[in-house]
Amino acid sequence: MASKGNLTKVRLTESMLQLIQTSGYSGTGLNAVIEHAAAPKGSIYFHFPDGKEGLGVAAVELAAKQFETLIAETAVSAGGAAEAARAAIEALAIIVSESNFRLGCPVSVVTLEMGAESERLRQACATAFESWITPTAALLEANGLRAAEARSLATVIVSTIEGAVIVSRAMQDTQPLASAADIVAELINQRLESAGRTR
């Protein structure tokens, strides 16, 4: 069972993550995090001695784990790589839509805002993206692609999803995500079919 202190740390991280999604990293103050988490005032510096940057890194790591879990779950439940990618994108579309287009990818938000300002945050974001590219590449490789091609295609897929989330939020319409799902699934099937012919 988690201790009270650990539960507070988790609440602070979850609150930071939610606030980054709605207000951005720069627009999220520590007082807002404390209020959102209903945490004691001194708790942030107790759990995150380096303050906002450390809390931001924890939030990015949490976001990475959440999407990594989504990838793993869709890979298990879907019939193949194309279906898994489509299911993951459709799940993201539901999240974006149900939040009234207020929630997006916090990793892209932090990258755009702080990538040139904080090497620690940039590295955390790079690690997060890598944690999504690697299992996607592994799934594509398991479905018949060679390692280098699987890695390249996985990078394109993650990049496409990130862009589609941003455009969907701007337009307040999930159509960009729906289009991304169609194109990504088609691309995967084409690559897998081509790989089958050349083997």
Side-chain angles (χ1 to χ4, degrees):
M1 189 176 190
S3 69
K4 185 177 178 181
N6 282 338
L7 289 174
T8 299
K9 185 175 183 178
V10 169
R11 283 206 320 276
L12 288 168
T13 303
E14 290 174 343
S15 291
M16 183 66 172
L17 176 57
Q18 290 178 39
L19 291 171
I20 286 173
Q21 289 176 293
T22 57
S23 304
Y25 179 86
S26 299
T28 298
L30 293 183
N31 287 335
V33 176
I34 290 168
E35 184 178 347
H36 189 276
K41 281 202 170 182
S43 58
I44 283 187
Y45 288 103
F46 177 79
H47 294 291
F48 302 96
D50 45 358
K52 186 177 177 180
E53 186 180 52
L55 185 54
V57 168
V60 167
E61 289 172 347
L62 177 59
K65 287 177 186 173
Q66 289 177 348
F67 191 54
E68 194 176 353
T69 299
L70 175 62
I71 293 171
E73 288 174 350
T74 54
V76 169
S77 61
E83 293 80 5
R86 181 183 292 280
I89 296 171
E90 288 173 349
L92 285 174
I94 291 170
I95 292 169
V96 171
S97 178
E98 289 184 347
S99 73
N100 198 28
F101 299 93
R102 295 192 65 193
L103 297 184
C105 177
V107 180
S108 62
V109 171
V110 175
T111 300
L112 292 170
E113 286 189 31
M114 300 302 298
E117 304 294 327
S118 167
E119 176 59 20
R120 190 176 173 203
L121 286 169
R122 185 205 63 76
Q123 185 57 57
C125 291
T127 300
F129 287 129
E130 183 60 43
S131 76
W132 305 337
I133 291 169
T134 298
T136 303
L139 178 61
L140 292 167
E141 195 172 349
N143 276 256
L145 290 187
R146 290 179 178 153
E149 187 178 7
R151 167 79 189 185
S152 177
L153 183 54
T155 303
V156 169
I157 290 168
V158 171
S159 300
T160 300
I161 293 171
E162 286 296 307
V165 169
I166 292 170
V167 177
S168 287
R169 290 185 70 193
M171 294 185 169
Q172 296 205 328
D173 188 345
T174 56
Q175 184 55 49
L177 278 161
S179 297
D182 290 340
I183 295 299
V184 164
E186 183 180 348
L187 181 57
I188 291 171
N189 284 329
Q190 286 175 350
R191 291 294 183 89
L192 291 178
E193 188 179 344
S194 177
R197 284 204 208 99
T198 56
R199 282 178 181 274

